[in-house]
Amino acid sequence: MLKTRVIPCLLVSESRLVKTVQFKKPRYVGDPVNAVKIFNDKEVDEIVVLDIDATRSGREPDLDLIGELASECFMPLAYGGGINKLETARRILKLGVEKIILNTAAWKQPALVRDAANEFGSQAVAVSIDVKRKLFGRYEVCVDKASKATGEDPVTYARRMQALGAGEILLNSVQQDGTLAGYDLELISRVASAVNVPVIASGGAGTVEHFREAVQRGGASAVAAGSMFVFHGPHRAVLITYPDRAVLESTLA
């Protein structure tokens, strides 16, 4: 296992693997089960799967798909999307998922974070925080697929989620999502320095050097990427890939 986790983040919509740019215009890129099989061959340490439409459409998580993904995964699997009840979290974890990820539900029902951490342990509960950069460098937490502004400062919000029992923060920059232009290092640094739980940087990775910057300059505990692992070349041809482990080890040493 790599000292710093480098995590593929797969987005699903209606059981299809998609990729977005700044949380918009989802592009179909394949079958999520096949992607998991490829990442198995790449010996990836961990994988995140997020259903990006379940919450906004008021739909329950696709337990059949989650079960299939969990049965195929040779690595720990974290799942988020549509989880708004403790019983739903319980059912997902029983399928073999190692960690649930709460986003909109964590803001609307903060007690769910506490209750889930109490029942399953903080190590099984992560909170995903989507952040937009506003005028004059101000940051704001957004929910409902980044369509609703909450007025929350991400540092204050992350501290509150930690206090409720979240064992990890998945920190997403909306503006950087899918751009391959690099992470928002200032955002990562602000949040990572304010909490004691691991912060996974997400949104913008395009090179392994971006991983190094997120860890060494931003203070992230782990890094996640989507477009970098599913697109290849200037025309963004679909190709599921993962950096050579020796390259990752030397870059993140």
Side-chain angles (χ1 to χ4, degrees):
M1 179 179 290
L2 294 167
K3 183 177 179 181
T4 299
R5 291 171 293 153
V6 179
I7 305 169
C9 184
L10 304 182
L11 307 181
V12 296
S13 175
E14 298 179 350
S15 301
R16 306 180 311 153
L17 184 65
V18 299
K19 191 64 195 78
T20 58
V21 177
Q22 296 180 335
F23 284 45
K24 300 175 182 177
K25 298 179 181 179
R27 173 185 170 186
Y28 173 71
V29 294
D31 175 61
V33 177
N34 287 337
V36 165
K37 291 178 179 178
I38 294 171
F39 285 125
N40 280 338
D41 293 338
K42 302 291 184 182
E43 298 182 343
V44 172
D45 291 326
E46 184 176 340
I47 198 162
V48 164
V49 174
L50 303 174
D51 187 325
I52 62 173
D53 292 317
T55 295
R56 291 200 75 191
S57 63
R59 176 171 50 79
E60 288 285 311
D62 185 342
L63 296 180
D64 290 337
L65 175 63
I66 297 168
E68 189 174 4
L69 292 171
S71 67
E72 290 290 345
C73 266
F74 296 162
M75 75 290 284
L77 169 65
Y79 170 84
I83 304 171
N84 56 23
K85 298 189 292 288
L86 197 61
E87 175 57 27
T88 303
R90 190 179 294 119
R91 293 172 69 186
I92 289 171
L93 292 171
K94 284 183 178 178
L95 291 172
V97 172
E98 182 162 296
K99 191 183 305 175
I100 60 164
I101 301 174
L102 303 174
N103 188 308
T104 301
W107 180 68
K108 292 183 175 179
Q109 309 173 61
L112 181 60
V113 179
R114 181 198 62 214
D115 294 344
N118 286 340
E119 178 162 342
F120 312 122
S122 290
Q123 80 289 341
V125 181
V127 169
S128 177
I129 304 178
D130 301 331
V131 181
K132 284 185 178 179
R133 189 167 192 149
K134 313 296 280 189
L135 291 176
F136 309 113
R138 186 174 69 86
Y139 291 105
E140 184 175 15
V141 176
C142 301
V143 296
D144 285 336
K145 205 175 174 181
S147 66
K148 180 180 178 62
T150 66
E152 298 268 9
D153 170 72
V155 169
T156 303
Y157 186 71
R159 283 174 173 160
R160 188 158 75 252
M161 293 300 109
Q162 174 183 273
L164 286 166
E168 195 163 56
I169 300 294
L170 176 62
L171 185 64
N172 308 294
S173 168
V174 175
Q175 278 96 340
Q176 298 303 105
D177 171 63
T179 65
L180 301 172
Y183 296 103
D184 186 329
L185 299 180
E186 182 180 350
L187 171 63
I188 297 166
S189 178
R190 288 188 186 185
V191 175
S193 63
V195 297
N196 298 320
V197 296
V199 171
I200 305 172
S202 183
T207 68
V208 293
E209 179 64 20
H210 291 153
F211 296 156
R212 186 193 66 77
E213 291 174 349
V215 174
Q216 296 186 8
R217 293 174 55 191
S221 301
V223 291
S227 293
M228 181 179 169
F229 297 151
V230 299
F231 294 132
H232 177 72
H235 301 294
R236 293 197 171 197
V238 176
L239 177 66
I240 306 295
T241 187
Y242 190 77
D244 183 81
R245 293 182 72 85
V247 172
L248 290 175
E249 288 171 353
S250 63
T251 303
L252 296 169

